């Protein structure tokens, strides 16, 4: 099946790629800080992720994943929600810490595992792009409108109700 680009007024593919690039860079930075035992840098990265990710995560969990559930199956969608939960747990744990406090080794390793799980989730987005391409143009346009609404609200990830 040929992949046709969506009309410019609702290019869900480009918006998704853009969001995933931002998230990918954010979690890569977070993991790098944790690898280097830079607690302050990790907390700053978590703050940036919290601010940047909220709209995209809300869109995926409230609109996109439910739209894909029939194509990908409930177990796969549950896995994606679970991976979001791991990323959120890392961000939340870092934001709840005293900015100047060092990270105990066990906690640093735990947070690094959570961050790396989210990095892997972001890197595996190819399956979502394939599924997105199987949605009708009308459904893609409706999803893009939902993403736009969330982008305008600009919620913090930690401020969203947990889903899954």
């Amino acid at each position: 099946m040929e992949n046709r680009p969506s009309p410019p007024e609702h290019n869900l593919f480009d918006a998704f790629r853009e969001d995933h690039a931002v998230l990918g860079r954010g979690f890569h930075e977070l993991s790098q800080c944790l690898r280097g035992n830079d607690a302050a840098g990790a907390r700053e990265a978590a703050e940036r992720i919290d601010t940047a990710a909220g709209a995209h995560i809300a869109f995926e969990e409230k609109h996109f994943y439910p739209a894909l559930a029939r194509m990908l199956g409930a177990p796969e969608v549950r896995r994606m929600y679970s991976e979001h939960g791991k990323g959120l747990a890392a961000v939340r744990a870092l934001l709840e810490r005293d900015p100047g406090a060092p990270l105990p080794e066990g906690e640093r390793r735990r947070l690094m595992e959570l961050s790396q799980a989210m990095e892997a989730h972001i890197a595996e987005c190819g399956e979502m792009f394939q599924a997105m391409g199987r949605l009708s143009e009308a459904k893609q346009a409706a999803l893009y409108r939902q993403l736009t609404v969330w982008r305008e609200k600009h919620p913090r990830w930690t401020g969203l109700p947990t889903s899954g």
Side-chain angles (χ1 to χ4, degrees), residues 72-85:
L72 300 179
E76 180 67 12
V77 171
R78 277 193 301 274
R79 181 185 64 80
M80 292 187 295
Y81 280 110
S82 172
E83 290 167 350
H84 279 188

Side-chain angles (χ1 to χ4, degrees), residues 7-55:
E9 66 271 7
H10 67 273
N11 197 329
L12 187 60
F13 286 94
D14 286 345
F16 223 77
R17 269 192 214 72
E18 176 186 314
D19 285 356
H20 278 209
V22 169
L23 292 173
R25 283 190 302 272
F27 274 98
H28 177 74
E29 177 187 7
L30 178 58
S31 294
Q32 287 293 99
C33 289
L34 291 168
R35 268 191 277 295
N37 204 18
D38 178 2
R43 190 176 191 291
E44 290 169 10
E47 177 70 32
R48 285 189 291 277
I49 291 167
D50 188 31
T51 302

Side-chain angles (χ1 to χ4, degrees), residues 51 61 92 124 130 150:
T51 302
E61 292 187 354
R92 187 170 274 143
E124 294 171 355
Q130 290 173 347
W150 281 109

